[in-house]
Amino acid sequence: INDSEGHPSSSQQALKGTSKWATSLENLLEDPEGVKRFREFLKKEFSEENVLFWLACEEFKKTQGKKQMQEKAKEIYMTFLSSKASSQVNVEGQSRLSETILDTPHPLMFQKLQDQIFNLMKYDSYSRFLKSDVFLNHKKCEEQEENSPEAQTAAKRASRIYNT
């Protein structure tokens, strides 16, 4: 919903930062700061490879050209999916890709695996993240900034500007 000038309405703007992250994993993953904090949390849980794999797949979908796709597909495979992968993700055995598929890459070739990892994060680590010190401390800092005299003064100035 946009206002008359095409800007998001105030109800869409109202949720930002930790409030927006808390509404869904999708919102968290759309925010670079949210991804940074989630990675920080997952690193402590020894499962950062999940979000790194998910992000690599998102980036892969945007890749243009067969040669670049082959290179990125191989990189994703070697980093996350191969039995010798340095940051192996935990996906179901029958979902694993064979190395031969890397010769004919397509944008959605990792989609099934990416969905598995997304669901793993959504139903496992995401709920723990929302209760974690990483999230709660960031939320507290955000609230302190919002309640600071400088922020309130800026908000009052903005409301005077828009209400004149």
Side-chain angles (χ1 to χ4, degrees), residues 22-33:
T23 59
S24 73
L25 179 58
E26 291 87 340
N27 284 340
L28 172 71
L29 294 172
E30 286 173 5
D31 182 343
E33 183 66 22

Side-chain angles (χ1 to χ4, degrees), residues 32-117:
E33 183 66 22
V35 169
K36 180 181 167 185
R37 299 298 174 174
F38 193 45
R39 280 185 62 186
E40 191 181 315
F41 168 75
L42 291 176
K43 201 177 276 188
K44 291 177 180 178
E45 291 216 329
F46 304 101
S47 59
E48 183 187 23
E49 67 279 357
N50 291 334
V51 75
L52 294 176
F53 173 72
W54 188 88
L55 292 166
C57 291
E58 285 299 290
E59 197 58 39
F60 178 76
K61 291 176 194 174
K62 301 173 196 165
T63 305
Q64 301 291 312
K66 187 178 179 191
K67 182 95 175 106
Q68 288 90 331
M69 281 190 110
Q70 282 176 321
E71 288 170 9
K72 274 199 171 177
K74 187 173 174 73
E75 186 181 321
I76 288 172
Y77 181 82
M78 297 311 282
T79 305
F80 301 106
L81 301 170
S82 151
S83 58
K84 300 176 187 101
S86 55
S87 299
Q88 192 176 42
V89 290
N90 186 11
V91 290
E92 293 174 20
Q94 68 269 27
S95 301
R96 289 208 174 273
L97 299 174
S98 71
E99 225 169 320
T100 55
I101 195 170
L102 301 176
D103 296 333
T104 54
H106 58 87
L108 300 177
M109 67 187 279
F110 297 114
Q111 189 65 53
K112 188 176 175 188
L113 300 173
Q114 185 185 16
D115 290 345
Q116 266 188 46
I117 292 300

Side-chain angles (χ1 to χ4, degrees), residues 124-159:
D124 186 38
S125 18
Y126 174 64
S127 56
R128 283 196 310 280
F129 170 71
L130 296 178
K131 297 172 191 155
S132 72
D133 288 344
V134 172
F135 177 79
L136 296 173
N137 290 339
H138 190 72
K139 184 177 181 178
K140 193 185 298 178
C141 288
E142 243 180 32
E143 289 166 354
Q144 286 171 348
E145 284 174 19
E146 285 172 16
N147 296 327
S148 72
E150 299 85 29
Q152 289 176 356
T153 306
K156 284 178 187 170
R157 275 198 309 270
S159 70

